Each structure stands twice: as C-alpha cells, then as structure tokens.
C-alpha cells in the first residue's frame, strides 16, 4: 500500500495515519500480467502487484521509481534490445487501437496468454487478476493523457522521451507571515502523558487454514486453496506463519483481547489495510465484509475508546484503485467511502464523515488545542493507476489540507498528521504511518539546508505476518491533555506475538513488550534531532545497528546478515523522507558518495 497514516497535527494516517511508504515489503508480481496489455498497463500495476518475492536480508528498492522501472521491465521480459523508435511505434499502435476499439475481452485474453507464456503466475491467478483489473485498466488507458513519448521516456530514459505525468505541481499557500521555528520543549516533570494505541496492516485472511502449505505457488499462502505441504514439511501454524501469509481472525481477536498490559489508551490510530493480500480475486463484497467484521471487532474490545481510522490501499478492489471524485458511476469509490462512513460513524463527527464520503479524508478536534487530520494517501501514490488520467491534487485534498493547517496555526492548535512539515513545522506535532509492515522511521529536514531535522514520520509495525514477520502493534506516549501541551511523541513501545512460542503444542498466545524506543536506543528524548543522531550512531556502531535490524523485523529478522551495503541503504532510508533529496545520505557514505540506484529506496508518494 502507499504509506497510510494519521497525522495529528500512515496515508503512509498516510494523513495520514499510514504512509503507505512501501519499502521492505515486497510488492505483488501480478503487475507483470499486463505485459500482454502492453507495457503501459504494466506501469500502472507493477508497483502494487509484485506480491510474493520472499523477504530477504537486504532492503528492497521502492517500486515505481522512474529511473529503475525501465531496466526492471526490460530485464523481466528479455526486451533489452527494445529501441526507442520501436517503443514509440508499439505504444502509438496500442494507443490508437484502444481508443478506436477498447475491446476489453480481447485485451484481457491477450494478457492471460502472455502471463501463461512468461510463467509469471499460476494460470488461475493470471485469469482472476486480468478479469478483475481489465475494465478499470482499459478505461484508465483510454482516458489517460499518457503519450507514447512519455511511456518510452519512462521505460528507456530521457533520451527517448520526457516523462512528466507525475511531475511537480503547485498548491496555493496563504500569504501570511510564518512564525519563526520554535522547537518543542520537553514537558515538565509530572505533566500528563497520553497513551495512543496504533494499529496498522491487520490483513485478515478469511480463508486462512491451519496446516495448509505456507510455501504454495500463489502470491498468498496458508489458505484453503494452498493445498497441503509435501514431504512432511510443516504446515501453517494455528496463530499465523512466518511466510507469505496473512492472519486468521482469531489472531486479531487475541491481539485486541490481550491489550491489557499496554492500557489505558486515550485514543486509537488505525491506518487501514484490513483485507488480505489475495488481490487477484477480491470482490467488493469481500472488501466490505472485511471492513465491517474488523470494525466490529475493534469496537467490541476497545469499547468507549475513540478510534480514528485511515484508508489503506488494500481497502479497494482492484487494489490501489482509487479514482478521483470526478469519476462517477460504478467505477467510482463511493461504494467504499459510504460503507466506511456507516461503519465509522460512532467515532467520527458529521463534518468528518462528509469529507470521508467525498474522498476518504477528514479532520476533527478530539480535544481543545489538538487537530487530527487523516489523508487518503492513495491520491499520492504512483501505484494508483487512476492517476494516469490526472495526478494534480486529486479531490483537492492537498489544498484542503493547507487550509486546515493554516486554520490550526491561526488558532494556536497542534496537529497530528502526515505530510512534509516545512511550512507548518510549529503546528505539526506528530506524523504516524503504517504500510511497510516493518518498524522504522523517516526524518524530514528544512528545505534551505537539508541539515536541520524538523520532524519524524513514525512507521509502525504491522499486525500481519506478511512476509516472515511476527504480528505486532505500537503504543505511543504523547505529551498529554493540559494547557500548553506540545502534543509531541515522548516515547513509544512495540508489542509482538512470538509465533514460534505461540504455535508450540499446548501453548497459548502471549503478546509481550518487545522494546521501548528511548531505553533501547539511548535517546535523550523522541524529538527529531535525537532520531537524526541515532542514524549516525548506528552507522558507527555495528551492535547498535543490529539491534535496530532485529527490532525493524519485529524480532524475526532474515537469516541472511545485513552487511555494510545493506546497513547503509537501510540507514539512508531513515534519513530520506524526501525522495527527491538523496543528498541527505551523502554523509553516511564512504568518501561522501551516494548509494547506487539499486540501494536507495524512494518514496512512492507524489504529494
């Protein structure tokens, strides 16, 4: 998913609670199905659908980076000899043919044949994925402003054409003087502290079945359709499995039932991604069942505690498909937003429900002096293929956000949210994301020098095991409810379920504290400068980094060690919340050099 987030002040909630910043999480390879539709359709799905690559010890480059995508596709299909003229002829013909006769069935049939010929996925997965995506993809392509020159520029480089579909664009900022930067001061001893539960990436698999094959050929395993393991190999565990598997409902119920040691909570941030990763076969009915079932479960165990959700990229079907509000009729997202408004009505006021129904975003005031903003970060994601029609501030969300932030600044409120805090660094108090499934953070710096840390985006661990992880959740300690509160994060705790222990014969699940951030990392506070300094301490202290690497994977790291290139790329990712500022990593590298393109992760967010 793009990051999702919640911002007081994961999108990737990723508003944002959830930055759907999709880094170490392998994406589903189903996007390659669209080779048969033409490489242009691959571009739209490649990011979101590369599902089943096993998690490795090295961080994976983010999908969708223009510099690397062409090489990836050429290598994947053996088209290294594709020339610029041939590319333009190919896409001119495709463009003409689809706009003259957008025959969905013919295009889908070709995609299935290519999928089978290239052995991209099992035939049943190919067929289901193509039929699920074909209508929307052909509609997007026929309405797209994408030209053959732009496609070939993306695939083959700037010498073949100029790719500017996701180029920069402007929003209007209020012409009012900005106050001078004022870093928050630590609260006085004895000041109230709020505890906020953070849930993200629950990924409930309705078809999870104990004992089934955790290493099946499909993108998602441990399911009724996965079959049984061969050669006396172990099957899926009762509570979950270290593999490309999601969670049974009983594990999520165990998580919510076992929150006692982490309580009490003032509120809950929930950054979405409720359905499982069976993205090739999901119906709207499947997605709505997941939404209502998990919402009812959360309400059952959290009772009167207010919950503030965000929209994840997996809530829709097809996955990542979030049309802008000007798309009407059956292809719009109204079926989803209306269902969310109905399910979440007990938690959200009327004005928040209004904007939720329009575009999946909202703002509210949970108490005086604090504003929460939840953005729909799918409108900022390269994986949202609907943005090929128009990526310029879909739904007017960012302009709305600026107005919300300015109003909060005028009132003297603090805001928790997810966005770059450059213009409103005194107002934004926290940014909370999910989506990557791992436990990490990203630092924002001032625009002028890229040296002064302004804010931290906290990326919380997933509940799901996907891929090869323990289930987990996060609790933030935040400057509490009193006059003059900074509302900043003071510390955080991460809790996990050790699957090896939970799945042992006769065992019962026990959710335990994995670590506390300040204690474990020796942080004087949880302000941006301390996280900045931690990155450089980890560069020079191998043991400290290995502790981070263990916790990054929620206590179940890959067996392959993370050597120097892996360590530098991982640390660079913690510094580079701004994907267009790779120079932030220069001081991490030997001789001041930058990591190569395959080592750097880049944000998949457009806004």
């Amino acid at each position: 998913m793009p990051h999702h987030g919640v911002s007081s002040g994961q999108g990737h909630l990723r508003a944002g609670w959830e930055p759907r910043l999709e880094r170490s999480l392998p994406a589903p390879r189903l996007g390659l199905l669209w080779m048969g539709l033409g490489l242009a359709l691959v571009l739209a799905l490649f990011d979101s659908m590369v599902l089943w690559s096993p998690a490795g010890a090295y961080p994976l480059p983010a999908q969708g980076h223009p510099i690397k995508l062409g090489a990836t596709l050429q290598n994947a299909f053996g088209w290294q000899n594709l020339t610029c003229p041939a590319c333009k002829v190919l896409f001119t013909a495709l463009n003409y043919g689809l706009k003259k006769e957008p025959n969905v069935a013919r295009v889908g049939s070709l995609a299935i044949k290519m999928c089978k010929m290239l052995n991209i996925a099992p035939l049943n997965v190919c067929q289901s994925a193509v039929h699920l995506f074909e209508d929307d993809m052909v509609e997007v392509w026929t309405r797209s402003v994408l030209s053959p020159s732009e496609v070939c520029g993306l695939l083959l480089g700037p010498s073949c054409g100029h790719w500017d579909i996701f180029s920069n664009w402007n929003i209007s900022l209020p012409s009012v003087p900005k106050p001078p930067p004022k870093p928050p001061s630590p609260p006085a001893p004895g000041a109230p502290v709020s505890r906020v539960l953070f849930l993200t990436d629950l990924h409930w698999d309705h078809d999870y079945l104990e004992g089934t094959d955790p290493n099946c050929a499909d993108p998602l395993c441990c399911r009724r359709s996965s079959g049984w393991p061969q050669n006396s190999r172990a099957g899926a565990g009762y509570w979950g499995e270290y593999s490309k598997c999601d969670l049974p409902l009983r594990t999520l119920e165990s998580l919510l039932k076992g929150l006692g040691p982490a309580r009490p909570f003032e509120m809950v941030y929930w950054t979405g991604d409720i359905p499982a990763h069976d993205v090739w076969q999901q119906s709207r009915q499947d997605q709505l069942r997941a939404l209502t079932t998990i919402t009812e479960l959360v309400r059952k165990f959290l009772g009167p505690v207010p919950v503030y959700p965000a929209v994840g990229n997996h809530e829709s079907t097809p996955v990542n498909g979030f049309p802008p509000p000007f798309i009407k009729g059956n292809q719009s997202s109204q079926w989803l937003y209306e269902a969310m408004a109905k399910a979440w009505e007990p938690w959200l006021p009327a004005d928040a429900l209004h904007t939720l129904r329009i575009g999946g975003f909202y703002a509210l005031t949970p108490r005086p002096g604090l504003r929460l903003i939840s953005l729909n970060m799918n409108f900022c994601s390269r994986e949202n293929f609907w943005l090929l029609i128009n990526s310029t501030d879909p739904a007017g969300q960012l302009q709305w956000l600026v107005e919300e932030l300015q109003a909060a600044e005028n009132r003297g409120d603090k805001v928790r949210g997810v966005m770059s805090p450059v213009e409103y660094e005194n107002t934004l108090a926290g940014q909370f994301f999910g989506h990557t499934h791992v436990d990490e953070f990203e630092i924002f710096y001032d625009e002028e020098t890229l040296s002064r840390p302004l804010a931290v985006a906290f990326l919380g661990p997933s509940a799901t095991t996907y891929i090869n992880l323990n289930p987990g959740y996060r609790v933030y300690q935040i400057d509490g409810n009193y006059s003059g509160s900074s509302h900043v994060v003071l510390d955080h705790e991460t809790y996990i379920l050790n699957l090896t222990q939970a799945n042992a014969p006769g065992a019962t699940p026990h959710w335990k504290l994995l670590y506390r951030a300040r204690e474990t990392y020796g942080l004087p506070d949880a302000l941006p400068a301390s996280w900045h300094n931690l990155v450089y301490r980890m560069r020079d202290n191998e043991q400290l980094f290995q502790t981070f690497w263990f916790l990054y994977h929620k206590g179940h790291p890959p067996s392959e060690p993370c050597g120097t290139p892996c360590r530098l790329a991982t640390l660079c990712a913690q510094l580079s919340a701004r994907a267009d500022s790779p120079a932030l990593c220069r001081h991490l590298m030997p001789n001041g050099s930058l990591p190569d393109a395959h080592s750097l992760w880049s944000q998949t967010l457009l806004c």
Side-chain angles (χ1 to χ4, degrees):
M1 344 166 191
H3 296 358
H4 6 275
V6 171
S7 185
S8 31
Q10 305 84 35
H12 326 196
L13 305 185
R14 240 176 209 188
W17 315 134
E18 175 200 15
R20 278 193 166 268
L21 297 168
E22 192 128 10
R23 281 222 192 102
S24 81
L25 179 65
R29 195 166 280 267
L30 295 181
L32 299 179
L33 299 176
W34 295 103
M35 197 58 171
L37 302 177
L39 290 178
L41 299 186
V42 179
L43 300 179
L45 292 177
F46 184 80
D47 285 347
S48 59
M49 312 283 318
V50 184
L51 264 193
W52 62 76
S53 303
Y58 293 92
L60 299 177
Q63 307 302 325
H65 194 288
I67 295 175
K68 297 175 288 183
L69 183 55
T72 302
L73 293 175
Q74 286 180 306
N75 292 335
F77 295 101
W79 283 25
Q80 291 90 342
N81 295 324
L82 179 66
T83 65
C84 182
C87 179
K88 290 181 178 179
V89 168
L90 170 66
F91 283 101
T92 297
L94 175 66
N95 196 32
Y96 176 79
L98 280 179
K99 290 188 176 182
K100 183 177 181 181
E101 184 185 1
N103 190 312
V104 174
R106 185 180 304 167
V107 171
S109 176
L110 178 58
I112 293 170
K113 290 177 181 178
M114 292 296 291
C115 178
K116 181 179 178 181
M117 181 180 73
L118 296 170
N119 197 30
I120 292 172
L123 180 59
N124 68 300
V125 175
C126 294
Q127 292 171 331
S128 296
V130 168
H131 293 321
L132 179 61
F133 279 80
E134 60 188 0
D135 288 329
D136 284 2
M137 290 303 305
V138 170
E139 174 71 14
V140 167
W141 181 252
T142 55
R143 297 179 61 162
S144 174
V145 296
L146 201 66
S147 71
S149 178
E150 287 169 326
V151 175
C152 296
L154 175 63
L155 288 175
L156 303 179
S159 62
C160 189
H162 179 56
W163 168 259
D164 64 358
I165 295 299
F166 296 132
S167 60
N168 293 332
W169 39 268
N170 297 322
I171 57 175
S172 299
L173 295 174
S175 56
V176 297
K178 304 305 295 182
K182 184 181 179 182
S185 301
V193 174
S194 297
R195 293 177 66 82
V196 175
L197 173 64
F198 182 81
L199 300 173
T200 190
D201 298 277
L202 275 61
H203 290 294
W204 166 46
D205 188 354
H206 176 268
D207 289 336
Y208 187 97
L209 183 62
E210 179 189 11
T212 53
D213 189 357
N215 298 295
C216 67
D218 289 348
L220 183 68
C221 297
C222 303
R223 324 183 75 229
R224 300 178 191 279
S225 59
S226 301
W228 304 99
Q230 298 179 352
N231 304 323
S232 301
R233 294 180 179 177
Y238 183 78
W239 297 104
E241 189 57 54
Y242 296 124
S243 189
K244 51 181 181 178
C245 305
D246 283 319
L247 292 178
L249 190 64
R250 57 180 168 267
T251 306
L252 296 174
E253 185 171 5
S254 168
L255 185 161
L256 295 167
K257 189 184 298 184
L259 289 172
R263 289 178 183 264
F265 309 123
E266 182 190 17
M267 61 186 73
V268 180
Y269 299 161
W270 177 20
T271 58
D273 270 14
I274 303 170
H277 285 88
D278 58 333
V279 298
W280 67 94
Q281 60 179 16
Q282 292 171 335
S283 68
R284 290 183 176 181
Q285 182 179 359
D286 294 331
Q287 307 307 81
L288 296 180
R289 176 180 60 186
L291 170 66
T292 56
T293 300
I294 301 303
T295 298
E296 289 171 2
L297 194 68
V298 169
R299 187 176 294 116
K300 173 184 175 181
F301 286 100
L302 288 165
V305 179
V307 178
Y308 302 119
V311 180
N313 66 305
H314 278 267
E315 266 66 84
S316 185
T317 183
V319 67
N320 300 310
F322 288 84
F326 62 76
I327 300 295
K328 305 297 183 181
N330 189 53
Q331 288 179 311
S332 80
S333 291
Q334 283 306 299
W335 65 274
L336 179 61
Y337 298 149
E338 289 291 344
M340 288 176 168
K342 181 178 179 180
W344 299 341
E345 186 175 12
W347 296 322
L348 305 180
D351 56 346
L353 292 170
H354 175 71
T355 55
L356 177 64
R357 287 187 170 99
I358 293 173
F361 55 89
Y362 63 86
L364 55 84
T365 301
R367 62 172 183 249
L370 178 64
R371 191 75 168 159
L372 293 184
I373 299 178
S374 176
L375 292 183
N376 185 347
M377 297 302 287
N378 296 289
F379 290 142
C380 301
S381 172
R382 295 181 189 276
E383 299 173 358
N384 183 1
F385 48 86
W386 285 96
L387 299 189
L388 290 172
I389 298 175
N390 183 4
S391 65
T392 302
D393 196 10
Q397 179 179 227
L398 287 192
Q399 193 63 56
W400 168 87
L401 175 61
V402 167
E403 293 167 4
E404 280 285 336
L405 290 171
Q406 186 61 51
E409 183 174 274
N410 294 343
R411 293 189 303 265
D413 289 354
K414 296 298 182 182
V415 177
R416 297 190 195 139
V418 176
M419 70 167 291
S420 173
V422 172
E423 291 293 327
Y424 294 95
E425 62 173 287
N426 292 349
T427 301
L428 277 166
Q431 301 181 67
F432 307 93
F433 294 88
H435 183 63
T436 69
H437 293 200
V438 291
D439 184 341
E440 54 183 331
F441 59 92
E442 290 186 347
I443 303 171
F444 292 93
Y445 293 85
D446 69 290
E447 292 285 290
E448 291 76 20
T449 69
L450 297 179
S451 62
R452 182 171 63 89
L454 300 180
V456 177
F458 294 99
L459 279 67
S462 64
T464 186
T465 56
Y466 190 91
I467 296 177
N468 296 324
L469 299 168
N470 283 311
Y473 66 89
R474 165 72 51 80
V475 177
Y476 290 99
Q477 290 84 57
I478 295 176
D479 197 8
N481 186 13
Y482 62 92
S483 178
S485 173
S486 67
H487 299 287
V488 299
V489 172
L490 304 176
D491 201 354
H492 65 67
E493 304 165 353
T494 294
Y495 294 78
I496 64 161
L497 176 65
N498 185 308
L499 280 182
T500 302
Q501 296 173 1
N503 285 330
T508 57
H510 175 63
W511 294 81
K512 66 178 183 179
L513 175 67
L514 181 63
Y515 79 103
R516 293 185 176 90
R518 288 181 59 187
E519 176 185 41
T520 300
Y521 294 129
L523 301 175
D525 52 49
L527 298 178
S530 295
W531 294 99
H532 168 89
N533 292 336
L534 174 62
V535 172
Y536 287 90
R537 287 165 52 212
M538 289 193 289
R539 179 195 63 180
D540 300 329
N541 185 328
E542 171 71 16
Q543 184 176 357
L544 181 62
F545 174 78
Q546 292 304 331
T547 296
F548 173 79
W549 187 245
F550 177 81
L551 300 174
Y552 177 95
H553 292 93
K554 294 184 287 181
H556 191 257
S559 57
E560 186 180 356
C562 182
T564 299
C566 164
R567 183 168 82 253
L568 293 178
T570 302
L571 294 178
C572 177
Q574 313 309 299
L575 292 178
S576 55
R578 286 293 304 274
D580 57 354
S581 301
L584 286 167
C585 299
R586 186 180 302 277
H587 297 298
L588 283 173
M589 305 300 159
N591 303 319
S593 60
L594 290 174
D596 61 64
H598 292 285
S599 297
L600 271 176
W601 278 322
S602 75
Q603 266 231 45
T604 57
L605 304 184
L606 302 180
C607 20

